[in-house]
Amino acid sequence: SMNFSVAVDFTASNGDPNHPKSLHFRNPYGDNQYLTAIRSVGEVIEDYDTDKMFPALGFGARVPPAMQVSHEFFLNLHPENPYCSGVNGLVQAYHTALQHVQLYGPTNFSPVINHVAKFAQAYQDGRQYFVLLIITDGIITDMDQTIYSIINASSLPMSIIIVGVGDEDFESME
C-alpha cells in the first residue's frame, strides 16, 4: 500500500501571495505553480494510494495562533490531523494555509523528511511504502541536515520527490 505525503515551501522567497509575480499568487483565473505541481503529481499518485488520505505539511512560515516559525506544520492547520481527502483536499488545505500563515523562512527540508521517515520506520514489513513530495522554490538552507536525513531514510520504504517551482537554480537538489 502506498502512502503519499506532500510538503509545501512557505518561505518569503516565494514573494507576496497578493502580487502577480509571487509563486503563491492567489490567481482567480488559474493555478499558481504550487497548485500546478500539487495537482500534476497528486493526480498521478492518487490512484496508487488506497485510502486517498494524504498527510500534508508546510514549512518555512509563521503559523497561527502564536505566529512562530515552523518547518513542519499541518497544511490544513488542524492541530492534530494532517490528512487531506484526495487532491481536492490538498488544494483546499493549501488555500487554507496560504490565507492564514505568514511566509517567512528559512528553507529547511530535514524536518519534513524526518516526519515521513518516522512513519516509514514503523512499517518495514514490505506492506507500506511512503512517497514524500516536496515542492519548493529554491535553495535548501539546511543542506547538511537534509543530506543526513536522506541518508538515514535510504534504507526505509520511502521515496522523496522534489519539484522545483520558479526560476531559481535547482542544481543542488540533484
Side-chain angles (χ1 to χ4, degrees):
S1 164
M2 183 179 295
N3 299 281
F4 178 55
S5 301
V6 176
V8 178
D9 180 344
F10 283 93
T11 57
S13 59
N14 286 285
D16 180 353
N18 296 314
H19 191 277
K21 292 193 182 224
S22 170
L23 296 170
H24 284 298
F25 179 56
R26 296 180 187 112
N27 186 347
Y29 304 108
D31 288 348
N32 61 37
Q33 290 187 38
Y34 279 93
L35 283 170
T36 298
I38 289 169
R39 288 186 201 277
S40 297
V41 178
E43 288 173 357
V44 171
I45 292 183
E46 183 174 43
D47 291 336
Y48 299 96
D49 189 302
T50 53
D51 67 2
K52 298 180 185 3
M53 294 299 291
F54 309 134
L57 305 168
F59 60 92
R62 290 186 178 200
V63 181
M67 297 310 284
Q68 292 182 320
V69 176
S70 176
H71 299 290
E72 181 186 347
F73 63 90
F74 297 160
L75 201 60
N76 60 12
L77 300 180
H78 190 284
E80 298 173 14
N81 183 1
Y83 290 95
C84 303
S85 180
V87 174
N88 289 335
L90 289 173
V91 169
Q92 183 178 355
Y94 169 78
H95 284 299
T96 297
L98 199 54
Q99 291 172 5
H100 293 93
V101 304
Q102 177 187 8
L103 304 188
Y104 202 72
T107 307
N108 293 344
F109 284 7
S110 61
V112 294
I113 293 170
N114 293 336
H115 180 94
V116 175
K118 285 178 197 171
F119 292 96
Q121 179 75 36
Y123 293 98
Q124 294 191 56
D125 61 4
R127 292 186 289 160
Q128 301 283 325
Y129 193 82
F130 296 81
V131 176
L132 170 61
L133 169 64
I134 300 174
I135 308 170
T136 185
D137 75 330
I139 308 302
I140 302 171
T141 309
D142 68 338
M143 183 60 85
D144 290 340
Q145 296 94 328
T146 295
I147 291 169
Y148 184 75
S149 295
I150 291 169
I151 291 168
N152 284 339
S154 66
S155 63
L156 300 175
M158 176 179 170
S159 291
I160 302 167
I161 301 169
I162 300 174
V163 173
V165 295
D167 299 325
E168 293 298 319
D169 178 10
F170 296 101
E171 186 175 311
S172 65
M173 294 188 202
E174 293 179 18

